[in-house]
Amino acid sequence: MINDEYLLAALRLGSGLDPIPPHVSAAAREAYSLRMSGAITASPVECVATSGVRDSSGGPRLVRFATAELAFDVEVTVGDGLIDLAGQVTPCPGEGSFIDIRTLQLIVRREVGRTGQFAATGLPPGWFSLVCHRPGCRPIVTRWLRIRS
Amino acid sequence: MSDAALLLKAAADGEDSAWCELTALYGPRMWAAARSCGLGDSDAADAVQGAWLRLLENLEHIREPQALGAWLATTARREALQIIRREPVAVPALHPPFESDPESAFLEADSVRLLWQLVTRLPEPCRTLLVLISSEVGYQQVAVRMGMPLGSIGPTRGRCLRKLRTLISLEEMVQ
């Protein structure tokens, strides 16, 4: 049985009185430039640390993304309307590796070869994805994460 | 192969124009799905953008390309519901959604046209009430225009939608 919300959404769609705004369509078209062809996707992983910290309020939040060969642990701090990220890639990806912290507006690049650690501050809230580039290997990209200020 | 499947494959193969066609084809119903959750413009835009990002993550893994529209509408709705929860850090679901809400098929163009045909068959006050509510008119204005007490708009809306569902069921039995 169709629920009221979908029924009304369908009627509104048909009425043409609440069309999709042009900037929403433009953003959808531009999203294609964020495609990472050939990359390996790292999905979120539940772990003791992240599940415990996520429930608290106010402090940093921990998020883990992982593939079979690499994990991203990311600490997210929200303050003054901006986002700070600090993270660790394990195992250490080696010399010549770098992380791209991607938002819809900008990409911040950080070297991670020696320690696997990276950080970026003062980022705009919104959608985030990390990419680990390693010499001679396929890039590993996290699924998109939304962070509010 | 359906149009959606062809476009999906072309987009996965790197054709920017195919992606643009997908956004034009499915954007409006994703917007409607997000708005159906009661979101304002900014949050609805965020939900729709989130759904497109989920498609990017899954370009090569959509199980039923012919049902892409339903998948996108469902995904936009799920992103909208996550926005409503107001979590500061919204971690994506552990497993990307593969199943669509069956109801999202009602956001297909043919279904929308049929739905409006059925609305015209409803008796008054349902016909006018649903037209007004679909026009983003607030309950206060609906009450004034219909000459009804404000408190009766919600219950009447519920009764009218039930009648509309009955017509949908009858239509489905005929087909």
Side-chain angles (χ1 to χ4, degrees):
Chain A
M1 181 69 76
I2 183 169
N3 68 29
D4 285 3
E5 286 70 30
Y6 264 122
L7 209 45
L8 286 168
L11 289 172
R12 288 187 178 124
L13 183 62
S15 74
L17 291 169
D18 182 26
I20 183 168
H23 72 89
V24 179
S25 299
R29 288 192 296 273
E30 289 161 12
Y32 191 66
S33 66
L34 298 164
R35 191 173 75 102
M36 289 288 301
S37 181
I40 301 165
T41 301
S43 291
V45 176
E46 285 285 1
C47 61
V48 174
T50 57
S51 62
V53 174
R54 193 184 305 160
D55 291 336
S56 66
S57 58
R61 318 250 160 168
L62 288 180
V63 187
R64 170 175 284 182
F65 292 89
T67 67
E69 54 180 314
L70 190 135
F72 300 76
D73 286 298
V74 188
E75 186 181 86
V76 180
T77 306
V78 182
D80 292 334
L82 295 172
I83 311 298
D84 295 342
L85 298 183
Q88 169 85 47
V89 179
T90 48
C92 186
E95 287 293 332
S97 300
F98 59 91
I99 292 274
D100 279 341
I101 300 167
R102 305 188 302 163
T103 73
L104 300 184
Q105 298 83 21
L106 55 90
I107 297 175
V108 176
R109 180 161 292 185
R110 295 287 184 261
E111 300 291 334
V112 288
R114 290 187 179 170
T115 63
Q117 294 176 339
F118 62 93
T121 58
L123 300 167
W127 292 96
F128 288 82
S129 166
L130 306 177
V131 189
C132 182
H133 297 272
R134 301 162 296 163
C137 299
R138 290 165 67 192
I140 297 181
V141 58
T142 70
R143 292 184 59 209
W144 287 89
L145 171 74
R146 197 183 55 251
I147 305 176
R148 291 181 164 273
S149 59
Chain B
M1 201 182 278
S2 68
D3 286 353
L6 288 170
L7 288 171
L8 198 60
K9 183 173 185 320
D13 289 342
E15 276 189 39
D16 182 72
S17 60
W19 178 266
C20 287
E21 278 193 59
L22 288 173
T23 63
L25 199 54
Y26 298 119
R29 78 183 65 167
M30 293 161 72
W31 177 254
R35 294 278 276 168
S36 75
C37 299
L39 296 183
D41 281 8
S42 173
D43 282 342
D46 210 14
V48 170
Q49 186 71 359
W52 286 116
L53 293 174
R54 300 291 170 232
L55 180 61
L56 269 190
E57 292 171 349
N58 292 285
L59 258 186
E60 287 143 19
H61 309 292
I62 296 294
R63 287 182 183 170
E64 296 180 49
Q66 72 280 5
L68 179 61
W71 187 91
L72 283 167
T74 300
T75 304
R77 188 162 186 273
R78 289 179 188 173
E79 292 293 335
L81 294 174
Q82 195 169 43
I83 287 171
I84 288 169
R85 289 199 289 274
R86 297 275 158 198
E87 293 168 358
V89 180
V91 179
L94 289 179
H95 303 290
F98 283 114
E99 306 302 328
S100 303
D101 298 341
E103 300 153 321
S104 62
F106 269 88
L107 299 176
E108 304 279 346
D110 288 347
S111 301
V112 168
R113 272 192 293 274
L114 172 65
L115 213 49
W116 273 106
Q117 286 170 12
L118 296 178
V119 168
T120 62
R121 286 193 221 158
L122 286 173
E124 293 293 3
C126 288
R127 193 164 59 227
T128 303
L129 185 83
L130 290 183
V131 168
L132 288 174
I133 286 176
S134 307
S135 309
E136 299 289 323
V137 173
Y139 276 20
Q140 184 82 46
Q141 283 192 54
V142 174
V144 171
R145 291 204 202 175
M146 305 275 310
M148 294 168 67
L150 181 60
S152 72
I153 299 297
T156 307
R157 187 194 89 155
R159 280 195 297 277
C160 292
L161 289 174
R162 275 197 295 280
K163 286 180 183 173
L164 183 57
R165 279 197 204 90
T166 304
L167 289 182
I168 293 168
S169 301
L170 290 171
E171 193 71 22
E172 285 171 346
M173 285 170 65
V174 170
Q175 286 178 350

